[in-house]
Amino acid sequence: MSPRSSVLVGLIGRSIQLSRTPAMHEAEGRAQGIAYVYRLIDADLMGDPAPSISELVRFVEYFGFSGFNVTFPYKQEILPLLDKLSDAARVVGAVNTVVLKDGLRFGHNTDCWGFAESFRRDMAGVSLDRVVQFGAGGAGAAVAYALIKLGVKELAIVDSQPERAERLADRLNTAANAAVRAATNIEAAVAAADGLVNTTPVGMAQCPGMPFPGDLLASHQWVAEIVYFPRETELLRHARRLGCRVLPGMGMAIGQATRAFELFTGRMTDMAAMARHFEAQA
């Protein structure tokens, strides 16, 4: 892809007004001398009933967008609307970045790279023998794949919809030759784990709380979060009090934005630059 000098992109999702993604992208665009515009396309503000994902995609194409990011609840729902998928998006079964070019829709998953890169940078040396993950949605699928690539030996997935966790485990076992299973006994799964990852919305400003009872957590375990607003979720506060090693969700947010910017523009950037833009919005 040749570098672009002007970019119009956006974020499709629901309840996304607090997202820092537009500010990160536009700040990096200015730093690189690009005419860069990033818009929020929040279905919750578009009437009742909200427009469908297919209507939203047609909307951005009509107005000449270069591409768009996708967030809750559309990361899996968008798949049938795309023409091509990256290898990661195909294995994960979820897309968070779409590039529009030559009349085609190219789906990518930059959440995988974002979580993995953040984990490698800040959690080096933790045990990856047994990990339990809460959530099997679009973001959860990306994180589970990233955990496998990071070297997790056994991954247990807990979800409020057990059949969704089973489907994700089956897909990853088939596609990535991994040892992934759905778990319904939360107490046993947490007790056996070296580390825990929350990929559910629980902990967000509009969905406070923890994804599992706090008294199940032990000080020798590590805890990773993908929620980044608020920056310090109830889960992270509780884990820090116990002395657990923790990974805040902002690392994944910065990482996925870094890779998405490169896909949208054809220009290189890095997590350090995006992190500065992220912190400037704090």
Side-chain angles (χ1 to χ4, degrees):
M1 176 180 175
S2 58
R4 294 176 180 268
S5 58
S6 64
V7 174
L8 171 60
V9 291
L11 173 64
I12 295 179
R14 305 190 72 152
S15 300
I16 54 176
Q17 294 304 303
L18 297 177
S19 173
R20 294 188 188 179
T21 300
M24 279 195 288
H25 278 258
E26 291 186 345
E28 183 60 15
R30 288 192 299 272
Q32 296 207 23
I34 307 171
Y36 201 110
V37 177
Y38 193 111
R39 291 289 178 255
L40 292 178
I41 303 161
D42 193 334
D44 281 350
L45 303 182
M46 295 182 178
D48 188 14
S52 67
I53 182 62
S54 60
E55 290 172 315
L56 294 173
V57 172
R58 287 198 297 272
F59 170 84
V60 299
E61 288 179 323
Y62 179 82
F63 283 100
F65 278 54
S66 309
F68 54 92
N69 287 126
V70 187
T71 190
F72 179 83
Y74 301 121
K75 290 183 179 183
Q76 294 166 319
E77 188 177 342
I78 197 172
L79 290 173
L81 305 178
L82 304 178
D83 298 298
K84 294 185 178 181
L85 295 176
S86 69
D87 290 342
R90 185 176 299 106
V91 172
V92 168
V95 160
N96 78 316
T97 302
V98 177
V99 176
L100 301 173
K101 185 179 180 183
D102 300 328
L104 298 176
R105 304 163 179 170
F106 298 85
H108 302 266
N109 194 302
T110 68
D111 284 335
C112 295
W113 187 89
F115 181 85
E117 189 65 14
S118 173
F119 199 97
R120 277 191 289 264
R121 288 160 60 102
D122 296 331
M123 299 293 277
V126 299
S127 175
L128 296 174
D129 288 343
R130 293 177 299 277
V131 175
V132 59
Q133 173 180 303
F134 290 84
V143 170
Y145 183 60
L147 288 168
I148 292 167
K149 291 297 185 181
L150 286 164
V152 169
K153 294 179 181 177
E154 297 179 13
L155 178 62
I157 300 176
V158 178
D159 194 85
S160 58
Q161 302 175 42
E163 66 281 1
R164 184 164 67 169
E166 291 172 2
R167 288 195 299 270
L168 176 57
D170 289 344
R171 185 166 69 249
L172 292 174
N173 286 330
T174 300
N177 192 29
V180 185
R181 64 181 177 86
T184 55
N185 187 326
I186 295 176
E187 292 82 358
V190 172
D194 299 304
L196 303 92
V197 185
N198 176 40
T199 73
T200 77
V202 179
M204 296 175 66
Q206 64 269 37
C207 189
M210 293 174 55
F212 60 90
D215 59 2
L216 298 180
L217 193 61
S219 61
H220 68 274
Q221 296 171 314
W222 55 263
V223 175
E225 176 71 89
I226 71 165
V227 173
Y228 71 89
F229 194 89
R231 183 168 185 161
E232 185 88 334
T233 63
E234 185 175 338
L235 173 60
L236 290 185
R237 284 196 301 273
H238 179 69
R240 287 188 198 277
R241 285 196 296 267
L242 290 176
C244 300
R245 190 168 172 183
V246 301
L247 179 69
M250 65 179 183
M252 175 173 164
I254 292 166
Q256 68 81 19
T258 300
R259 183 55 61 91
F261 181 93
E262 294 174 348
L263 289 169
F264 290 147
T265 65
R267 297 168 180 255
M268 297 299 294
T269 184
D270 58 43
M271 286 185 67
M274 283 296 193
R276 289 193 295 272
H277 305 321
F278 183 93
E279 295 295 344
Q281 305 304 312

